[in-house]
Amino acid sequence: MDNVSLLRDSLDAISGLVTEATFEFSPSGLILKAIDPAVVAMTVLQMLPTCFTQYEVSSPVKITLNLDYFLEVLKRAKQSDKVIIELQSDKGNLKVAMTGNIKRNFVVSLLENPDKEQKVPIPEFVGEVVIDNDVMHEAVKDCQMVSDCATFKASPQSFTITATGDLNNVKHELTKDSPSLKSLTFKEEQVSKYSLEYLEKVIRGDKVAEVTKLQFKTNYLLEVEYRAKDKLSLTFILAPRVDND
Amino acid sequence: MDNVSLLRDSLDAISGLVTEATFEFSPSGLILKAIDPAVVAMTVLQMLPTCFTQYEVSSPVKITLNLDYFLEVLKRAKQSDKVIIELQSDKGNLKVAMTGNIKRNFVVSLLENPDKEQKVPIPEFVGEVVIDNDVMHEAVKDCQMVSDCATFKASPQSFTITATGDLNNVKHELTKDSPSLKSLTFKEEQVSKYSLEYLEKVIRGDKVAEVTKLQFKTNYLLEVEYRAKDKLSLTFILAPRVDND
Amino acid sequence: MDNVSLLRDSLDAISGLVTEATFEFSPSGLILKAIDPAVVAMTVLQMLPTCFTQYEVSSPVKITLNLDYFLEVLKRAKQSDKVIIELQSDKGNLKVAMTGNIKRNFVVSLLENPDKEQKVPIPEFVGEVVIDNDVMHEAVKDCQMVSDCATFKASPQSFTITATGDLNNVKHELTKDSPSLKSLTFKEEQVSKYSLEYLEKVIRGDKVAEVTKLQFKTNYLLEVEYRAKDKLSLTFILAPRVDND
C-alpha cells in the first residue's frame, strides 16, 4: 500500500462512531461493519483488493482492533512511506511497517473478536439525491448554529435541508438547476429529521469520494454513501429523529 | 451586497463589547450605537449606502438583533456568494439570503427595541495621532505581557505607548520620522491610561480601514477611529483608567 | 543582533526545563548552565561572540533572569528588527531594544543570582550516533503513542529507538545505509531507556543545528548535542530510566 489515505480516511469517519472494529479480510477484499453503542448509526466499509498496491489474503480471516490506535498509527505514515500491513496471527498482532528514509514498525495488538456478528439492516428507499460533498459540509455547519438536528426534504423538483431553532432558522435549497445537485430521483415528497451530531461525524467520510449519495424516506432511515469506483464503498445508515409531540 | 466583509468586520469588533445591537436604517445609510454593559466603551458605526451593491430603504426603521448570531450568519457567506439582507417586519425577522452554487436562507429573529436610545457623548480633544494599524496590534500584544493597562503619551514630537508591570516594563515609541506615524497634531503633552482588554477588542475593527486615528487627553476619553473614505466610519470611545493612589 | 533566532530557539528548548536561568557573559562569549528541578535533565548553552552582530562585554558578568518572560520578549522581535540587549546594572535590569518601523523597549528585571553555581557533570561515553533532526521528532511522536519512555539501542550496525506499551509497540530502525544516519561509532551494543516527556522538550533545541548528535551508554546518561559550527553548542544531558524489576 503506497498510499494509505483511502483506508485512513474511511476509518477516520468510522472512528467517530465506534472505538473497536472487526475487519473481515478475504481474497475478494475487506469488509468492516459497525454499529455505534447508542444504535443510532451503522456503517459498512467495503474495500476491493484494488485499493492496495498489493493484497495477499489466501483465506478469510477476521480480526478486531482498537480503531483509535490503529488509525493513529496510519496517520503517522508519511506520504512517501511504503506501508505494509501484515497479520502475525501467532503473535496475536498486526504489524504495520513503514519504510522511507528510516524503517518504522508499529505493532498493533489484536483484541478478541466479538461473539456475534453485526447485523446491518438493508433499508428500502424510494429515491436518492446525489450532491457535491461540500453541500453537506456547509449545511451541517449552518444548521448547527440553530439546532441539533436537521430536516431533509426531497421532492421531484428540489432537495432542502433546514434547521429550526427557538428564534432563528436556516434553510439550504438545491433545485434541479443547481450545479451542486448531480441527481434527484424522488417521485413523491419525503421529509425526515436526523441528528447533526451524527451527520457531522459521517461527512468526515467524504474524503474518499467525489460526491455524496443520500437516500431517505419520511420518518425513516437515512443512508449516506461514499463510493470510489472499482475501489471502495463507505456507507452510513442513520436512524431518524421522530418528534413525540 | 456582493461583499459582506465591511459589515462583518465592523460587527466583529463591536461584538466584543455588546451582545445585542440596535441598527437604524434610513435612506442615508445605517447607524449603530452601542455601549458596553460595564459602560467603559462606546461605539458608533456609520455605513453609507455606498457600502452595499444595492441599498433600498425608503423610510427609517430601527431593529434590534442578537449580534453574535447575526455575525455568525454573515461569517457563513462564501466570498462568491451574493448576499441579500431583507427585513420581514410582518414576520418579525430579518432574512439573510446567500446565493451561490446553492441557495441558503438564514432567518434572524428580531428582538425588542430598547426603550431608550443610546446617548453617545461627543468628546472634545486637543490633538490626534494617526498610525499604521499594526502599531496598535504590536503595542497591545507587547503591553499585555506585563500589565492589563497601557499608558498613551503624546507630545508635539512623539507618541509613546508604555506598560509597567511589577518587575518588567515595555515601551513603544514613535517619533516624527517614524514611517508608521502618519500624523501627530498635539501641541502639549497629554498622558492617559486605558484598559488593554478593551483595546484588544477595539483593534479588531482595523480591518475596515488602512490607518488608525487616535484622539485622547490627559485622564480623559480615548477615541479610536477607523474610516473607509466615502463608505463608513467605525468609532470607539474608551473611558480612561484613573489611578486612585 | 540582527537575527535573534539562535538565542531565542536555544532558550525556547531550555525554558522547557527551567523557569529561571543564570547567564554568564564574558569577552569570549555567553554560557548558560541549568538543571531542571527534578534533576533529570541538565543543559549547557555556549554562544560565541560570532552569534551576535556586535558583542561588547569587557569583563565577566553573571545575571539571572526569568527565562519565560525574557523568551516572550525575544519572540516579539520581528524579522526585520534590529535587537540590542543592554545590561543596566545600576537599574537592576536588562534593556531589550527593538528598532524597525517603530522603536520598542522592553525592560527585563534582573533576579538575584543563586548562591551556588550549577555543576554539570562531564559524562564519559563509548560511542556516538549522528542523525537527521526529523528522525528524533518522528521517533518521539511515534513512541509517545504507546509509552512514556523510549529505549535507545546502538550497535556497530544499527541504531534503534523502541517503545513498548501494554498492548502495542513501536520500533524505529536506522542501519548503516539509511540516508538519515550520518555517523555511528559504537563498537559494542549499548541499551538505555529515557523519558519521552523530557526528550520532547530537548528536541525543541534542534532548530539551531542541522543534525542531532546522541551519545549514551547502557543504563547511563544520554547526551543530546546541537552545534552550529563556530557559533554555538547546545547540550542536554538526560538521566536514564532504570527499571527496578
Side-chain angles (χ1 to χ4, degrees), chain B residues 123-163:
Chain B
E124 291 183 20
F125 296 109
V126 294
E128 64 177 55
V129 52
V130 179
I131 55 179
D132 282 338
N133 290 338
D134 70 332
V135 174
M136 282 296 282
H137 269 278
E138 298 296 327
V140 168
K141 272 193 228 158
D142 286 349
C143 290
Q144 281 178 327
M145 295 198 304
V146 300
S147 180
D148 64 350
C149 63
T151 302
F152 285 39
K153 182 161 135 188
S155 74
Q157 286 77 38
S158 71
F159 170 58
T160 62
I161 302 176
T162 55

Short mmCIF file of all heavy atoms in Angstrom, two decimals, chain B residues 123-163:
data_model
loop_
_atom_site.label_atom_id
_atom_site.label_comp_id
_atom_site.label_asym_id
_atom_site.label_seq_id
_atom_site.Cartn_x
_atom_site.Cartn_y
_atom_site.Cartn_z
N PRO B 123 -17.00 63.74 22.62
CA PRO B 123 -15.85 64.18 23.40
C PRO B 123 -15.11 65.33 22.72
O PRO B 123 -15.22 65.52 21.51
CB PRO B 123 -14.95 62.94 23.44
CG PRO B 123 -15.57 61.92 22.55
CD PRO B 123 -16.77 62.48 21.90
N GLU B 124 -14.39 66.10 23.54
CA GLU B 124 -13.56 67.17 22.97
C GLU B 124 -12.09 66.85 23.20
O GLU B 124 -11.67 66.55 24.30
CB GLU B 124 -13.90 68.50 23.65
CG GLU B 124 -15.29 68.96 23.25
CD GLU B 124 -15.62 70.32 23.85
OE1 GLU B 124 -14.67 71.05 24.23
OE2 GLU B 124 -16.81 70.64 23.93
N PHE B 125 -11.35 66.92 22.13
CA PHE B 125 -9.94 66.55 22.21
C PHE B 125 -9.04 67.73 21.86
O PHE B 125 -9.51 68.77 21.39
CB PHE B 125 -9.66 65.37 21.28
CG PHE B 125 -10.39 64.12 21.69
CD1 PHE B 125 -11.45 63.64 20.95
CD2 PHE B 125 -10.01 63.43 22.83
CE1 PHE B 125 -12.12 62.49 21.33
CE2 PHE B 125 -10.67 62.28 23.23
CZ PHE B 125 -11.74 61.81 22.47
N VAL B 126 -7.75 67.54 22.07
CA VAL B 126 -6.80 68.64 21.81
C VAL B 126 -5.70 68.23 20.83
O VAL B 126 -4.75 68.97 20.61
CB VAL B 126 -6.14 69.08 23.13
CG1 VAL B 126 -7.18 69.71 24.05
CG2 VAL B 126 -5.44 67.92 23.82
N GLY B 127 -5.85 67.05 20.26
CA GLY B 127 -4.83 66.62 19.29
C GLY B 127 -5.15 65.21 18.83
O GLY B 127 -5.95 64.52 19.45
N GLU B 128 -4.53 64.80 17.73
CA GLU B 128 -4.76 63.44 17.25
C GLU B 128 -3.47 62.86 16.70
O GLU B 128 -2.54 63.60 16.33
CB GLU B 128 -5.84 63.43 16.16
CG GLU B 128 -5.46 64.20 14.92
CD GLU B 128 -6.52 64.13 13.82
OE1 GLU B 128 -7.68 64.47 14.09
OE2 GLU B 128 -6.16 63.71 12.70
N VAL B 129 -3.43 61.55 16.68
CA VAL B 129 -2.27 60.88 16.10
C VAL B 129 -2.82 59.79 15.17
O VAL B 129 -3.77 59.08 15.53
CB VAL B 129 -1.33 60.31 17.19
CG1 VAL B 129 -2.08 59.46 18.21
CG2 VAL B 129 -0.18 59.53 16.59
N VAL B 130 -2.24 59.71 13.99
CA VAL B 130 -2.66 58.69 13.02
C VAL B 130 -1.48 57.75 12.79
O VAL B 130 -0.37 58.19 12.50
CB VAL B 130 -3.10 59.33 11.69
CG1 VAL B 130 -3.51 58.25 10.69
CG2 VAL B 130 -4.25 60.31 11.93
N ILE B 131 -1.74 56.46 12.96
CA ILE B 131 -0.65 55.47 12.85
C ILE B 131 -1.09 54.27 12.02
O ILE B 131 -2.28 54.05 11.79
CB ILE B 131 -0.22 54.97 14.25
CG1 ILE B 131 -1.43 54.42 15.01
CG2 ILE B 131 0.44 56.07 15.05
CD1 ILE B 131 -1.11 53.88 16.39
N ASP B 132 -0.10 53.49 11.59
CA ASP B 132 -0.41 52.24 10.91
C ASP B 132 -1.14 51.31 11.85
O ASP B 132 -0.85 51.25 13.05
CB ASP B 132 0.89 51.55 10.45
CG ASP B 132 1.46 52.19 9.20
OD1 ASP B 132 0.70 52.83 8.46
OD2 ASP B 132 2.68 52.03 8.96
N ASN B 133 -2.06 50.53 11.29
CA ASN B 133 -2.84 49.62 12.12
C ASN B 133 -1.97 48.66 12.92
O ASN B 133 -2.27 48.35 14.08
CB ASN B 133 -3.80 48.79 11.25
CG ASN B 133 -4.93 49.63 10.67
OD1 ASN B 133 -5.25 50.69 11.21
ND2 ASN B 133 -5.51 49.17 9.59
N ASP B 134 -0.90 48.17 12.31
CA ASP B 134 -0.15 47.12 13.02
C ASP B 134 0.59 47.66 14.24
O ASP B 134 0.96 46.89 15.12
CB ASP B 134 0.78 46.36 12.07
CG ASP B 134 1.93 47.22 11.62
OD1 ASP B 134 1.74 48.45 11.57
OD2 ASP B 134 3.01 46.68 11.34
N VAL B 135 0.80 48.96 14.31
CA VAL B 135 1.43 49.52 15.51
C VAL B 135 0.58 49.22 16.73
O VAL B 135 1.09 48.76 17.77
CB VAL B 135 1.62 51.05 15.38
CG1 VAL B 135 2.13 51.63 16.70
CG2 VAL B 135 2.58 51.39 14.25
N MET B 136 -0.72 49.44 16.61
CA MET B 136 -1.60 49.17 17.74
C MET B 136 -1.62 47.69 18.08
O MET B 136 -1.63 47.30 19.24
CB MET B 136 -3.03 49.65 17.42
CG MET B 136 -3.21 51.14 17.55
SD MET B 136 -2.96 51.74 19.26
CE MET B 136 -4.54 51.24 19.98
N HIS B 137 -1.63 46.85 17.06
CA HIS B 137 -1.64 45.41 17.31
C HIS B 137 -0.41 44.97 18.09
O HIS B 137 -0.49 44.23 19.07
CB HIS B 137 -1.71 44.64 15.98
CG HIS B 137 -3.10 44.35 15.56
ND1 HIS B 137 -3.82 43.29 16.05
CD2 HIS B 137 -3.92 45.00 14.71
CE1 HIS B 137 -5.02 43.30 15.51
NE2 HIS B 137 -5.11 44.32 14.70
N GLU B 138 0.76 45.43 17.64
CA GLU B 138 2.01 45.06 18.31
C GLU B 138 2.03 45.63 19.73
O GLU B 138 2.42 44.96 20.68
CB GLU B 138 3.22 45.58 17.53
CG GLU B 138 3.36 45.02 16.13
CD GLU B 138 3.59 43.53 16.11
OE1 GLU B 138 4.24 43.03 17.05
OE2 GLU B 138 3.09 42.85 15.19
N ALA B 139 1.61 46.88 19.86
CA ALA B 139 1.67 47.54 21.16
C ALA B 139 0.77 46.81 22.17
O ALA B 139 1.16 46.57 23.31
CB ALA B 139 1.26 49.01 21.04
N VAL B 140 -0.43 46.47 21.74
CA VAL B 140 -1.34 45.80 22.66
C VAL B 140 -0.75 44.46 23.10
O VAL B 140 -0.73 44.11 24.28
CB VAL B 140 -2.74 45.62 22.02
CG1 VAL B 140 -3.60 44.66 22.84
CG2 VAL B 140 -3.42 46.98 21.91
N LYS B 141 -0.24 43.70 22.14
CA LYS B 141 0.35 42.39 22.49
C LYS B 141 1.55 42.56 23.41
O LYS B 141 1.70 41.84 24.39
CB LYS B 141 0.77 41.65 21.21
CG LYS B 141 -0.34 40.83 20.61
CD LYS B 141 0.24 39.88 19.54
CE LYS B 141 -0.58 39.95 18.27
NZ LYS B 141 0.14 39.51 17.09
N ASP B 142 2.42 43.48 23.08
CA ASP B 142 3.62 43.69 23.91
C ASP B 142 3.22 44.10 25.33
O ASP B 142 3.75 43.57 26.31
CB ASP B 142 4.49 44.80 23.31
CG ASP B 142 5.24 44.33 22.06
OD1 ASP B 142 5.24 43.11 21.79
OD2 ASP B 142 5.81 45.18 21.37
N CYS B 143 2.31 45.04 25.43
CA CYS B 143 1.94 45.57 26.74
C CYS B 143 1.25 44.50 27.59
O CYS B 143 1.40 44.47 28.82
CB CYS B 143 1.03 46.79 26.60
SG CYS B 143 1.90 48.24 25.95
N GLN B 144 0.49 43.64 26.94
CA GLN B 144 -0.21 42.59 27.69
C GLN B 144 0.76 41.63 28.38
O GLN B 144 0.37 40.91 29.29
CB GLN B 144 -1.14 41.80 26.76
CG GLN B 144 -2.43 42.55 26.49
CD GLN B 144 -3.34 41.83 25.54
OE1 GLN B 144 -2.87 41.15 24.63
NE2 GLN B 144 -4.64 41.98 25.70
N MET B 145 2.00 41.61 27.96
CA MET B 145 2.98 40.74 28.62
C MET B 145 3.26 41.19 30.05
O MET B 145 3.68 40.40 30.88
CB MET B 145 4.30 40.71 27.83
CG MET B 145 4.18 40.08 26.46
SD MET B 145 5.79 39.59 25.81
CE MET B 145 6.66 41.15 25.89
N VAL B 146 3.06 42.47 30.33
CA VAL B 146 3.45 42.96 31.66
C VAL B 146 2.31 43.59 32.46
O VAL B 146 2.44 43.77 33.67
CB VAL B 146 4.61 43.99 31.57
CG1 VAL B 146 5.83 43.35 30.92
CG2 VAL B 146 4.19 45.23 30.80
N SER B 147 1.20 43.95 31.81
CA SER B 147 0.17 44.66 32.56
C SER B 147 -1.21 44.48 31.92
O SER B 147 -1.33 43.86 30.87
CB SER B 147 0.52 46.16 32.61
OG SER B 147 -0.46 46.87 33.33
N ASP B 148 -2.25 45.00 32.58
CA ASP B 148 -3.58 44.97 31.99
C ASP B 148 -4.01 46.36 31.51
O ASP B 148 -5.15 46.55 31.10
CB ASP B 148 -4.62 44.38 32.96
CG ASP B 148 -4.78 45.24 34.20
OD1 ASP B 148 -3.97 46.17 34.40
OD2 ASP B 148 -5.70 44.96 34.98
N CYS B 149 -3.09 47.32 31.60
CA CYS B 149 -3.43 48.62 31.01
C CYS B 149 -2.19 49.25 30.38
O CYS B 149 -1.06 48.89 30.69
CB CYS B 149 -4.06 49.56 32.03
SG CYS B 149 -2.98 49.96 33.38
N ALA B 150 -2.43 50.18 29.47
CA ALA B 150 -1.34 50.83 28.74
C ALA B 150 -1.47 52.34 28.89
O ALA B 150 -2.58 52.87 28.94
CB ALA B 150 -1.41 50.46 27.27
N THR B 151 -0.34 53.00 28.97
CA THR B 151 -0.32 54.45 29.07
C THR B 151 0.00 55.05 27.71
O THR B 151 1.00 54.73 27.09
CB THR B 151 0.74 54.90 30.09
OG1 THR B 151 0.44 54.28 31.35
CG2 THR B 151 0.75 56.41 30.24
N PHE B 152 -0.90 55.91 27.24
CA PHE B 152 -0.69 56.62 25.98
C PHE B 152 -0.13 58.00 26.32
O PHE B 152 -0.68 58.70 27.17
CB PHE B 152 -2.02 56.79 25.23
CG PHE B 152 -2.54 55.53 24.58
CD1 PHE B 152 -2.44 54.30 25.21
CD2 PHE B 152 -3.14 55.59 23.33
CE1 PHE B 152 -2.93 53.14 24.61
CE2 PHE B 152 -3.64 54.44 22.72
CZ PHE B 152 -3.53 53.22 23.36
N LYS B 153 0.93 58.39 25.63
CA LYS B 153 1.51 59.71 25.88
C LYS B 153 1.82 60.36 24.54
O LYS B 153 2.51 59.77 23.70
CB LYS B 153 2.79 59.56 26.71
CG LYS B 153 3.44 60.86 27.08
CD LYS B 153 4.39 60.63 28.26
CE LYS B 153 5.73 61.31 28.08
NZ LYS B 153 6.65 60.89 29.18
N ALA B 154 1.31 61.56 24.36
CA ALA B 154 1.58 62.25 23.10
C ALA B 154 2.20 63.60 23.43
O ALA B 154 1.86 64.26 24.42
CB ALA B 154 0.29 62.46 22.32
N SER B 155 3.15 63.99 22.59
CA SER B 155 3.75 65.32 22.70
C SER B 155 3.88 65.85 21.27
O SER B 155 3.56 65.15 20.33
CB SER B 155 5.13 65.19 23.35
OG SER B 155 6.03 64.66 22.42
N PRO B 156 4.29 67.09 21.10
CA PRO B 156 4.44 67.59 19.73
C PRO B 156 5.43 66.75 18.91
O PRO B 156 5.35 66.70 17.69
CB PRO B 156 4.96 69.02 19.93
CG PRO B 156 4.45 69.41 21.28
CD PRO B 156 4.50 68.16 22.11
N GLN B 157 6.38 66.09 19.60
CA GLN B 157 7.43 65.35 18.89
C GLN B 157 7.20 63.84 18.78
O GLN B 157 7.71 63.19 17.86
CB GLN B 157 8.80 65.54 19.58
CG GLN B 157 9.41 66.89 19.36
CD GLN B 157 8.76 67.94 20.25
OE1 GLN B 157 8.43 67.66 21.40
NE2 GLN B 157 8.53 69.13 19.69
N SER B 158 6.48 63.26 19.73
CA SER B 158 6.43 61.80 19.74
C SER B 158 5.14 61.27 20.35
O SER B 158 4.42 61.96 21.07
CB SER B 158 7.62 61.24 20.52
OG SER B 158 7.45 61.50 21.90
N PHE B 159 4.90 60.01 20.05
CA PHE B 159 3.76 59.29 20.62
C PHE B 159 4.29 57.98 21.19
O PHE B 159 4.96 57.22 20.49
CB PHE B 159 2.72 59.02 19.53
CG PHE B 159 1.62 58.09 19.97
CD1 PHE B 159 0.82 58.38 21.07
CD2 PHE B 159 1.38 56.90 19.28
CE1 PHE B 159 -0.20 57.51 21.48
CE2 PHE B 159 0.37 56.03 19.68
CZ PHE B 159 -0.41 56.34 20.78
N THR B 160 4.04 57.75 22.48
CA THR B 160 4.52 56.51 23.08
C THR B 160 3.38 55.76 23.75
O THR B 160 2.43 56.35 24.26
CB THR B 160 5.61 56.75 24.14
OG1 THR B 160 5.05 57.52 25.21
CG2 THR B 160 6.80 57.49 23.57
N ILE B 161 3.51 54.42 23.73
CA ILE B 161 2.61 53.55 24.47
C ILE B 161 3.48 52.74 25.40
O ILE B 161 4.44 52.11 24.96
CB ILE B 161 1.82 52.61 23.52
CG1 ILE B 161 1.02 53.43 22.52
CG2 ILE B 161 0.91 51.69 24.31
CD1 ILE B 161 0.29 52.58 21.47
N THR B 162 3.20 52.80 26.70
CA THR B 162 4.01 52.05 27.65
C THR B 162 3.12 51.24 28.58
O THR B 162 1.95 51.54 28.77
CB THR B 162 4.87 53.00 28.53
OG1 THR B 162 3.99 53.94 29.15
CG2 THR B 162 5.90 53.74 27.73
N ALA B 163 3.73 50.19 29.13
CA ALA B 163 3.04 49.40 30.15
C ALA B 163 4.07 49.05 31.20
O ALA B 163 5.22 48.78 30.89
CB ALA B 163 2.44 48.14 29.55
#
